[in-house]
Amino acid sequence: MFPLQRNRRLRTNESIRSLVRETHLSPNDFMFPMFVAEGKDYQIEIPSMPGIYRRSLDLTVKEVKVLWDLGIKAVNIYVKVDDKLKDNTGKEAWNKNGLMQETIRAIKDAVPGMIVMPDVALDPYSIYGHDGIIEKGQIINDATVDALTLMSLSHAEAGADFVAPSDMMDGRVLAIRKALEENGHHNVGIMSYSAKYASSFYGPFREALDSAPVDVNEVPKDKKTYQMDYANRIEAIKEALHDVEEGADIVMVKPGIAYLDIVREVKNAVNVPVSVYQVSGEYAMVKAAAERGWLDHDKIMIEQLHCIKRAGADIISTYFAKEAAIILNK
């Protein structure tokens, strides 16, 4: 009761504010998403994501070493697949000599301590840009799960620390966990994209991988039959709990800033670490506003990352990871 309690006493100066601060951010909290393409000594900046590049494998490994030196200990890997390798089955996804598999091996050889979490989804490998196999105009769940299981096994055999199914098919975590166990990959974890919403914030990412759904007859025009309705909250908790029951070691909420209520709900419901993906559109908006002088880039970046962690994130997958680590290390 005032004046016995004056809350501003704990805000008097930076020393006391630091002493009582509830949320602390460090490079240990970050994963960095990386886009890999065929070729050598090649990199191209993604126009809608300033500072983010699609790189050849050699330059990807070089960048991973920089990230490690900054204290970033995990990377998400996504590959840009040549069009001639795409089909409706996604079979290139489990080619043991495919770009993803080569990338996993190269990173683990160069920086053994780096945690590598390759993306498990068919959209980069699909001629239709969907996360699943299409039959008669529908995304077929069970056949897709079989393909994702083969893909996950190939990642484990290449040396991945975790596999990261981002497809939102029903039952895929259980199928992947069983296959990993049966093939002796007991220590390979699963980071499941458990609450992945059908969001409009993914546009720049799809540009980076050329993985947007194609507009042809008999093919769904969007991903709303498998990604979640952004109007729903309880469904996210149900999905996360199911994935934990099926063997997920980490569950993810995606996108980030616009879904912090979901992050907190999921964090309260599960007993495993919660990861949050601050997605490409969220990154691009900050970059665009800062470029125009409307926002202070570094202050907004650090504030948003703190807010994601405060909401309950144990791990933050963010395109800001490198820039934020440089600031935090200072």
Side-chain angles (χ1 to χ4, degrees):
M1 182 184 299
F2 179 86
L4 301 180
Q5 291 292 329
R6 290 180 181 265
N7 294 334
R8 289 182 57 194
R9 291 182 191 130
L10 299 181
R11 305 174 199 149
T12 303
N13 54 53
E14 179 56 26
S15 294
I16 187 63
R17 290 193 296 271
S18 297
L19 191 64
V20 300
R21 188 162 290 142
E22 300 172 33
T23 304
H24 299 275
L25 195 67
S26 85
N28 290 326
D29 297 312
F30 302 146
M31 288 191 294
F32 189 56
M34 305 188 77
F35 302 112
V36 187
E38 297 284 0
K40 188 174 183 179
D41 194 27
Y42 162 86
Q43 74 173 21
I44 184 169
E45 189 174 38
I46 299 162
S48 55
M49 301 174 68
I52 301 299
Y53 295 83
R54 193 163 58 226
R55 294 183 172 92
S56 55
L57 179 51
D58 56 327
L59 297 186
T60 296
V61 170
K62 184 177 179 180
E63 182 72 359
V64 167
K65 292 177 180 178
V66 173
L67 298 172
W68 180 259
D69 289 341
L70 288 171
I72 296 169
K73 298 181 175 67
V75 290
N76 299 123
I77 303 298
Y78 304 88
V79 294
K80 170 71 169 66
V81 179
D82 193 300
D83 285 346
K84 69 177 180 291
L85 298 175
K86 297 181 181 183
D87 62 15
N88 187 35
T89 70
K91 63 180 181 295
E92 176 63 19
W94 54 91
N95 176 1
K96 66 179 181 179
N97 296 315
L99 179 58
M100 178 67 87
Q101 291 75 7
E102 289 183 357
T103 301
I104 296 167
R105 286 191 287 267
I107 292 174
K108 294 303 292 185
D109 286 344
V111 189
M114 182 65 79
I115 301 301
V116 179
M117 299 192 184
D119 180 53
V120 176
L122 297 186
D123 50 333
Y125 302 89
S126 168
I127 54 174
Y128 301 120
H130 272 285
D131 294 46
I133 297 168
I134 295 178
E135 292 181 11
K136 299 179 180 179
Q138 302 292 321
I139 309 296
I140 305 302
N141 191 91
D142 295 3
T144 298
V145 169
D146 292 340
L148 297 171
T149 301
L150 291 171
M151 186 179 183
S152 297
L153 281 174
S154 76
H155 292 176
E157 289 161 2
D161 300 281
F162 284 74
V163 294
S166 64
D167 55 285
M168 291 298 289
M169 296 298 129
D170 292 332
R172 90 278 205 213
V173 173
L174 180 59
I176 292 169
R177 184 72 266 164
K178 285 183 174 180
L180 291 173
E181 293 297 318
E182 290 168 359
N183 287 273
H185 299 296
H186 310 300
N187 292 326
V188 175
I190 298 174
M191 181 182 71
S192 174
Y193 289 56
S194 298
K196 181 178 180 180
Y197 284 84
S199 171
S200 297
F201 284 106
Y202 303 150
F205 175 94
R206 291 173 181 167
E207 175 191 351
L209 290 186
D210 188 25
S211 62
V214 298
D215 188 9
V216 298
N217 292 334
E218 304 261 333
V219 173
K221 300 298 187 292
D222 54 43
K223 301 189 177 187
K224 292 181 180 179
T225 66
Y226 46 101
Q227 294 178 359
M228 287 176 47
D229 185 340
Y230 58 70
N232 292 355
R233 177 182 61 85
I234 295 172
E235 184 182 9
I237 302 170
K238 179 177 70 174
E239 289 278 6
L241 289 173
H242 283 176
D243 283 357
V244 173
E245 290 172 358
E246 292 181 13
D249 302 281
I250 302 169
V251 296
M252 176 180 276
V253 175
K254 181 181 179 182
I257 286 294
Y259 293 78
L260 295 186
D261 59 321
I262 306 301
V263 175
R264 174 45 56 185
E265 293 274 13
V266 170
K267 179 65 175 177
N268 289 344
V270 302
N271 59 0
V272 300
V274 175
S275 176
V276 174
Y277 200 145
Q278 187 182 29
V279 299
S280 58
E282 296 173 308
Y283 173 87
M285 289 193 300
V286 173
K287 290 292 183 181
E291 185 179 282
R292 287 160 177 77
W294 297 341
L295 296 174
D296 184 308
H297 176 277
D298 291 352
K299 289 181 179 179
I300 289 293
M301 172 179 67
I302 296 299
E303 180 178 344
Q304 286 195 346
L305 293 170
H306 269 94
C307 292
I308 293 171
K309 188 171 182 185
R310 187 194 65 220
D314 300 287
I315 305 165
I316 306 171
S317 184
T318 174
Y319 301 98
F320 287 120
K322 184 179 178 181
E323 293 174 282
I326 291 170
I327 290 174
L328 294 171
N329 286 337
K330 292 178 181 179

